[in-house]
Amino acid sequence: MYGAGDVRVEDVPDPKIQNPTDAVVRVLRSCVCGSDLWPYGAMPASEQGRRMGHEFLGVVEDVGSDVPGLTSGDLVVAPFLWEDGTCDFCREGLHSSCRNGGQWGLNGVDGGQGEAVRVPQAQGTLVRLPVGEDSALLPSLLTLSDVLCTGHHGARTAGAAPGRSVTVIGDGAVGLCAVLAARRLGAERIILMGRHKDRTDLGRDFGATDVVAERGEEGIERVRELTGGDGTHAVVEAVGAEQALDMALGVVRHGGAISRLGVPQYQKGPMGMDTIMRNITFTGGVAPARAYIEELLPDVLDGTIEPGRVFNRTIGLGEVPDGYRAMADREALKVLIQP
Amino acid sequence: MYGAGDVRVEDVPDPKIQNPTDAVVRVLRSCVCGSDLWPYGAMPASEQGRRMGHEFLGVVEDVGSDVPGLTSGDLVVAPFLWEDGTCDFCREGLHSSCRNGGQWGLNGVDGGQGEAVRVPQAQGTLVRLPVGEDSALLPSLLTLSDVLCTGHHGARTAGAAPGRSVTVIGDGAVGLCAVLAARRLGAERIILMGRHKDRTDLGRDFGATDVVAERGEEGIERVRELTGGDGTHAVVEAVGAEQALDMALGVVRHGGAISRLGVPQYQKGPMGMDTIMRNITFTGGVAPARAYIEELLPDVLDGTIEPGRVFNRTIGLGEVPDGYRAMADREALKVLIQP
């Protein structure tokens, strides 16, 4: 990406093992993330550009000397950050704060939207998948990179559980996965706030019991009506706009929690006396996706959940620029890339 | 209180049972709260004034026909809000959001800084204390009204526990009680940020392992030095000023929680990308004091904790205006009123 709206497909040097902890993975499936749309909309023009893509699964082509758990030919998924898996944060399940981890596409690390990727800290980062290259499950397994784990992080940190009600704000792929995760965690009432009917229909399939298309004060009123005036115990904010955060505060029940998953397009948020009187918790953040993969994988493998349904367009590498455009124009919910 | 700096002691009608759920309590001990200092500093002049005081213990003098658990002569403590104890919020332990509760000193309900109080919803509100009127434990038992339970709420919601480190910001009575509560919950490293030596000395007695007198960036640096650069897992913000919240964010570890106990003197707080990348949780709020009294009472009765040490001045009702002044001038930490 060279700037807002300027995505180019270019040849770059083939990735090679640079450190003993590296692996090289040939990408089978990758995708465009909703968070990629923020720079797609606003990145200042840059001569150097930056590599894109942080969600991929593929086949291990080569491993360094210090990656005992992997061999060439393994089919693996990568979480949307790379991490060592051994530092104190990783051991606590907060892989997103790994002391030796980092982001794809920065500092000489490849992006996932390409043919192959050098994976640093491969032992800690990659998770083997017991399927073949032709598995029909690849799209659903790819969501373990980010959107499914991120939705799960939101539902979990907001407190989705049996007996709890949940509102999910945003009908993008993360919001829909938060619905799926909230249902999986046993939440009974799940209200999805979104105004794209094809997406909210998928949200109903994923477990939403109610859909609220209205926004702002009207949307808040509608959720309150549905919940006897109280709002829901848990709220997952999967947009990142300040208006969405205000809605979250409007629909959360006293003592409830708002989990923020969206990339915040604001510096300050509402934390005045009202939030104190009502004991509102703000939680969430960048998901430690790696921490959740083992927990979620079995349900994907046995078809209990089908998060891959968020992909409604499949493209080749050459069409990636149009894939960004399609997602930015809300023409596609989430674009799957098959290099 | 008739306005900033204007506290008067006046005769008002004796409280009487008005509803079957009422009780009348003769006040044995009451006190001035740090939160009373905000209106003491800034309340617009008012002809009508408002009753003050929301912390008291005393003797039941009369009970309505629907207060089966209490009889005249019972010694009781009142939490800083009154509540029915039976609504869904109370049953969940969020008494501060009781559907049939309210604040002392408003809407025809007496304040605690007086000789006697009509207690609405007495059955749900009052807790019997197994001590006599001359017990030396009365000051410590009085802290169950507010500051001990509020400190406990902060320590608990921030996640104080064995193996966890805690920073408490503010050396007022609530901050010191948060130290006591964090220690009681098993936290090992407890850093108290405050600059009044007599108060931080008491904080050390209460369990603080370190004291940081510096504020702002310097204070943040100092806490980071003490914690290997990481900050602490839990932070209790017991001031309410925006600067204190910024400090809290500066000293909290990745994945940690900040519990806000102070009355916020701001509408918006820091919730930008940094809080998302670090998975910071903001929690806390008005303490459901009533929910914690039974849990904390045994430790007060057997002397395991001595929260009453926060009182360093005892006055009669006639001296209440000077009691406010002494607390506002930081001459007294917390003022005990003995009518």
Side-chain angles (χ1 to χ4, degrees), chain A residues 97 99 230 242 254 268, chain B residues 97 99 230 242 254 268:
Chain A
S97 291
R99 294 188 191 275
D230 285 343
E242 195 164 6
H254 284 234
K268 298 219 164 194
Chain B
S97 291
R99 296 190 190 272
D230 285 342
E242 195 164 7
H254 285 232
K268 297 219 164 197

Side-chain angles (χ1 to χ4, degrees), chain A residues 60-286:
Chain A
V60 174
E61 297 274 294
D62 197 4
V63 292
S65 57
D66 193 15
V67 189
L70 294 171
T71 49
S72 294
D74 285 343
L75 203 152
V76 293
V77 63
F80 70 88
L81 297 165
W82 50 271
E83 45 245 342
D84 66 13
T86 56
C87 77
D88 52 347
F89 284 119
C90 286
R91 279 182 278 117
E92 292 167 23
L94 195 68
H95 296 71
S96 49
S97 291
C98 175
R99 294 188 191 275
N100 301 297
Q103 297 181 43
W104 303 108
L106 292 179
N107 306 316
V109 177
D110 303 293
Q113 292 163 8
E115 291 174 319
V117 175
R118 179 178 70 86
V119 176
Q121 303 290 352
Q123 178 78 17
T125 302
L126 299 172
V127 179
R128 277 199 293 188
L129 301 173
V131 298
E133 290 194 31
D134 57 351
S135 168
L137 291 173
L138 294 190
S140 281
L141 291 166
L142 178 59
T143 66
L144 292 165
S145 263
D146 186 341
V147 285
L148 177 59
C149 292
T150 296
H152 176 73
H153 187 55
R156 181 179 161 277
T157 54
R164 297 294 183 99
S165 53
V166 180
T167 300
V168 174
I169 300 177
D171 57 11
V174 167
L176 297 179
C177 284
V179 169
L180 197 65
R183 175 63 171 271
R184 185 181 163 278
L185 291 168
E188 284 143 32
R189 187 80 182 260
I190 302 172
I191 301 170
L192 172 60
M193 300 187 80
R195 60 205 176 109
H196 304 89
K197 188 166 182 308
D198 53 334
R199 300 178 180 196
T200 56
D201 282 349
L202 181 54
R204 287 187 193 272
D205 282 358
F206 278 0
T209 53
D210 304 88
V211 168
V212 170
E214 293 85 354
R215 304 167 89 181
E217 282 305 318
E218 211 182 340
I220 292 169
E221 272 314 298
R222 189 81 191 91
V223 174
R224 288 188 173 272
E225 278 167 30
L226 288 169
T227 53
D230 285 343
T232 58
H233 301 93
V235 179
V236 179
E237 194 289 275
V239 177
E242 195 164 6
Q243 193 206 21
L245 185 59
D246 290 339
M247 280 207 292
L249 201 54
V251 302
V252 69
R253 188 174 180 271
H254 284 234
I258 296 166
S259 183
R260 296 184 299 143
L261 298 180
V263 178
Q265 304 304 302
Y266 51 81
Q267 292 299 317
K268 298 219 164 194
M271 295 182 78
M273 196 60 190
D274 161 68
T275 63
I276 290 286
M277 291 304 294
R278 295 199 293 143
N279 271 275
I280 305 304
T281 292
F282 295 95
T283 186
V286 170

Side-chain angles (χ1 to χ4, degrees), chain B residues 27-315:
Chain B
V27 176
L28 286 176
R29 297 290 186 282
S30 175
C31 52
V32 180
C33 184
S35 67
D36 292 334
L37 299 181
W38 293 116
Y40 186 74
M43 178 176 159
S46 143
E47 280 194 22
Q48 201 174 358
R50 56 167 292 190
R51 306 278 188 95
M52 297 300 291
H54 52 257
E55 302 153 280
F56 63 96
L57 57 71
V59 176
V60 174
E61 297 275 294
D62 197 5
V63 292
S65 56
D66 192 16
V67 190
L70 294 171
T71 50
S72 291
D74 285 343
L75 203 152
V76 292
V77 64
F80 69 87
L81 297 166
W82 49 271
E83 46 247 339
D84 66 13
T86 55
C87 76
D88 52 347
F89 284 119
C90 285
R91 280 181 278 119
E92 291 167 25
L94 194 67
H95 296 70
S96 49
S97 291
C98 175
R99 296 190 190 272
N100 300 298
Q103 297 181 43
W104 303 107
L106 292 179
N107 306 320
V109 177
D110 303 294
Q113 292 163 8
E115 292 174 317
V117 175
R118 179 178 68 88
V119 177
Q121 302 291 352
Q123 178 78 15
T125 303
L126 299 172
V127 179
R128 278 198 294 186
L129 302 173
V131 298
E133 289 194 31
D134 58 351
S135 169
L137 291 174
L138 294 190
S140 281
L141 291 167
L142 177 60
T143 68
L144 291 166
S145 263
D146 186 342
V147 285
L148 177 58
C149 292
T150 296
H152 175 72
H153 187 55
R156 180 179 161 278
T157 54
R164 297 294 183 99
S165 53
V166 181
T167 301
V168 174
I169 300 177
D171 57 11
V174 167
L176 297 179
C177 284
V179 168
L180 196 66
R183 175 62 170 272
R184 184 180 164 280
L185 291 168
E188 283 143 33
R189 188 79 181 264
I190 302 172
I191 302 170
L192 173 60
M193 301 188 80
R195 59 204 178 108
H196 304 89
K197 190 166 180 310
D198 53 334
R199 301 179 179 196
T200 56
D201 283 350
L202 181 54
R204 287 187 194 273
D205 282 359
F206 278 180
T209 53
D210 303 88
V211 169
V212 170
E214 293 85 352
R215 305 168 87 181
E217 282 305 317
E218 212 181 338
I220 292 170
E221 272 314 298
R222 189 81 193 90
V223 174
R224 288 188 172 271
E225 279 167 32
L226 289 169
T227 53
D230 285 342
T232 57
H233 301 91
V235 178
V236 179
E237 193 289 274
V239 177
E242 195 164 7
Q243 193 204 22
L245 186 59
D246 290 339
M247 282 209 290
L249 201 55
V251 303
V252 69
R253 188 173 181 272
H254 285 232
I258 297 166
S259 183
R260 297 185 298 143
L261 297 180
V263 178
Q265 304 303 303
Y266 50 81
Q267 291 300 317
K268 297 219 164 197
M271 295 182 77
M273 196 60 190
D274 161 68
T275 62
I276 289 287
M277 291 304 293
R278 297 200 290 143
N279 272 275
I280 305 304
T281 292
F282 295 96
T283 185
V286 169
R290 180 65 186 80
Y292 301 135
I293 293 179
E294 279 92 347
E295 176 184 349
L296 297 167
L297 179 58
D299 284 7
V300 176
L301 289 174
D302 70 13
T304 304
I305 55 176
E306 297 181 285
R309 293 178 64 192
V310 297
F311 296 109
N312 61 353
R313 180 170 301 186
T314 301
I315 59 176

